[in-house]
Amino acid sequence: GAVVLVSREPDPEWREANRAAIGFGAIAALGFGVFLLLVDRAAETDPVWAVAAARTGGVALLGVAAIAARPQVPHARGAVLLALLAIASFDILANTLFAFASTEGILPLVSVAASLYAAVTVLLARVFLDERLAPSQRLGVVLALAGVAMIAAGSA
């Protein structure tokens, strides 16, 4: 419920787009869930190699898709290249930390805490992009944080 509130767009102009976004989001959630479960399994042997294998497979699949689609390659320079490097670095860091956390902690708790990235994204958009949060979105962020706190309290 909290995630629905956080992701709900109150602007009527965007309601039709929201229907498609909810479907894509649900499929993405399934993909993330399967990915994180598999990272947990692979990380039991070695968290670093688990993340390395995941990234290698992802790059290979993306390469095949790019060859098939033949998109135009943008000419990225300077600040854009730095931003892309930062994105890649944070992605690898987040997945590596999740792999270590899943082997050291309680997977349901680690998974729920990691799923807060959606609420964190909304908050970062508010801080850095001056996005306005609707009251329902603010309530969703509060409920998500409360849910994680309750799960953590129940796991202790």
Side-chain angles (χ1 to χ4, degrees):
V3 172
V4 170
L5 287 172
V6 169
S7 61
R8 186 176 173 280
E9 178 59 53
D11 187 351
E13 183 179 312
W14 288 95
R15 288 217 173 122
E16 188 62 37
N18 257 353
R19 289 188 183 99
I22 289 170
F24 289 132
I27 294 167
L30 177 65
F32 280 124
V34 170
F35 170 77
L36 294 175
L37 181 63
L38 294 175
V39 166
D40 172 58
R41 303 282 179 189
E44 290 173 4
T45 303
D46 186 342
V48 174
W49 278 111
V51 173
R55 291 296 134 230
T56 302
V59 168
L61 185 61
L62 187 59
V64 169
I67 290 169
R70 298 178 188 239
Q72 284 188 333
V73 178
H75 299 288
R77 291 190 175 89
V80 173
L81 287 176
L82 287 174
L84 292 173
L85 182 61
I87 291 167
S89 299
F90 279 112
D91 180 54
I92 291 169
L93 177 64
N95 285 296
T96 303
L97 291 173
F98 177 84
F100 276 104
S102 71
T103 62
E104 299 294 324
I106 303 167
L107 182 60
L109 179 59
V110 171
S111 298
V112 171
S115 71
L116 280 178
Y117 78 87
V120 172
T121 301
V122 170
L123 290 173
L124 288 173
R126 173 68 182 117
V127 171
F128 291 104
L129 302 176
D130 203 30
E131 291 280 333
R132 301 223 180 254
L133 295 180
S136 63
Q137 290 172 313
R138 283 183 284 214
L139 176 62
V141 169
V142 169
L143 289 175
L145 293 172
V148 170
M150 288 188 289
I151 289 170
S155 297

